[in-house]
Amino acid sequence: MGSERRERMRVLGARLRALRAEAGLTGAALAQRAGVGQPTVSKVETGRMVPSFDVLDRLCRALNLDESAAGEVHDLLVAVESAIATDSEPAGLPAGLVVDDAVRGARSVRSFQCVVLPALLQSAEYARHVFESAPDLTPEAVGRAVAARVERQSVLYEPGRESVFVLTEAVLRTWPGTPALMLAQLDRLLAVESLSTVRLGVIPWRRSVPLLPRHGFTLCDQQAVVVEAFTGERVSVDSAEVAVYEETFDRFQDAAVFGDEARELLLRVMKEFRELGDTVTP
């Protein structure tokens, strides 16, 4: 994490902590009023988590902030998001963790992927291959990145969140490592798909796509979009750009199958990986 981004997160957290103290609230009381987890409040206040704009609005309402104070903390979050988008300082962790940071505070996450599995759905071994493909990363940095990614996936299980993932079938068939790795990964998808907080859709290869996908992206609430490319990831809070990606996501979502059809597709792909066996060399 770059020093500018880290400092802006610290300033935002410190300001929220001071406002909470002025309101005479504990972290637990604020969390209850805002309808968020107490760990979320703690992490935001200590500069370890970037809240979504929705979470920030909840905190502002729970603190009964006037228009001036609410505008102040909103501007601080905009400054943090700007630092995320422009941060290029080496941090010992790959830029691939930008998407993880952006979704942690979001109550609604919608992700479309056409090649690589969404970060929130990756098994540890799959994530390891993702990070090992990044240039100039030490084994220690890869290990830290994998651990951080897996830890952040706990948001999938938090009540009050909604995560919708739409994948092309190509994602399920673009695999690193061995067939055994992908069998474990697909088994994880089946488990996650059963969660009440998650919807998982797949666009079968037999079905025409509504438009040719150029890259993956993740929408965080209705406030930001993480755009993913070979050169890195950027976060945009531009309302017009977010609206374009929302419309694009809806079109891909309409083309996907969910529920029983998606599970049947996953099981069919798993059967094919079993038939490949572990004799395939990576």
Side-chain angles (χ1 to χ4, degrees):
M1 186 186 298
S3 58
E4 181 180 3
R5 176 182 169 194
R6 184 167 48 242
E7 176 60 19
R8 291 183 182 183
M9 289 172 64
R10 187 195 65 76
V11 171
L12 171 61
R15 183 58 181 140
L16 285 170
R17 185 168 61 252
L19 289 167
R20 175 175 60 76
E22 290 174 13
L25 294 174
T26 64
L30 175 58
Q32 185 175 13
R33 281 193 183 186
V36 301
Q38 195 278 330
T40 295
V41 172
S42 175
K43 290 177 181 178
V44 170
E45 289 187 350
T46 54
R48 293 182 291 130
M49 175 179 175
V50 181
S52 68
F53 285 92
D54 176 65
V55 167
L56 187 68
D57 288 342
R58 288 166 179 255
L59 295 174
C60 289
R61 289 195 297 269
L63 289 167
N64 293 319
L65 298 186
D66 59 26
E67 184 176 345
S68 175
E72 177 192 354
V73 293
H74 182 277
D75 289 345
L76 289 174
L77 179 54
V78 169
V80 172
E81 296 285 5
S82 175
I84 291 174
T86 59
D87 189 4
S88 60
E89 178 180 325
L93 293 178
L97 287 182
V98 171
V99 64
D100 298 10
D101 286 338
V103 305
R104 278 187 302 174
R107 307 302 294 178
S108 171
V109 172
R110 289 165 292 165
S111 183
F112 168 77
Q113 297 297 334
C114 50
V115 178
V116 180
L117 279 164
L120 285 174
L121 301 183
Q122 293 172 9
S123 68
E125 283 307 303
Y126 188 104
R128 185 175 301 281
H129 282 272
V130 171
F131 290 123
E132 285 178 344
S133 67
D136 304 322
L137 277 184
T138 65
E140 292 76 14
V142 169
R144 292 196 300 272
V146 170
R149 172 152 294 180
V150 171
E151 188 273 333
R152 289 168 189 176
Q153 292 174 358
S154 62
V155 298
L156 289 174
Y157 306 93
E158 292 183 8
R161 290 181 179 270
E162 180 188 37
S163 301
V164 183
F165 303 99
V166 174
L167 321 174
T168 63
E169 187 172 337
V171 174
L172 307 178
R173 299 181 181 278
T174 303
W175 53 285
T178 66
L181 182 155
M182 281 306 291
L183 281 169
Q185 174 64 76
L186 292 168
D187 190 60
R188 168 166 169 72
L189 294 185
L190 285 172
V192 169
E193 191 274 339
S194 68
L195 296 173
S196 62
T197 53
V198 173
R199 293 186 69 228
L200 175 63
V202 182
I203 302 175
W205 73 267
R206 292 184 176 86
R207 182 173 296 184
S208 175
V209 290
L211 66 161
L212 286 174
R214 299 182 181 181
H215 53 75
F217 61 91
T218 300
L219 290 156
C220 303
D221 295 321
Q222 293 180 309
Q223 305 291 338
V225 60
V226 183
V227 180
E228 302 160 41
F230 279 115
T231 54
E233 298 165 343
R234 65 179 178 87
V235 177
S236 172
V237 295
D238 179 78
S239 59
E241 186 171 19
V242 171
V244 169
Y245 277 100
E246 287 188 316
E247 180 183 353
T248 301
F249 182 85
D250 288 343
R251 294 182 67 184
F252 283 125
Q253 182 175 229
D254 289 343
V257 297
F258 290 83
D260 290 342
E261 288 183 271
R263 287 190 290 273
E264 289 172 7
L265 197 158
L266 287 170
L267 290 169
R268 185 165 62 249
V269 175
M270 290 178 74
K271 179 176 180 293
E272 294 177 16
F273 272 111
R274 263 188 220 99
E275 291 170 350
L276 278 177
D278 290 332
T279 59
V280 177
T281 56

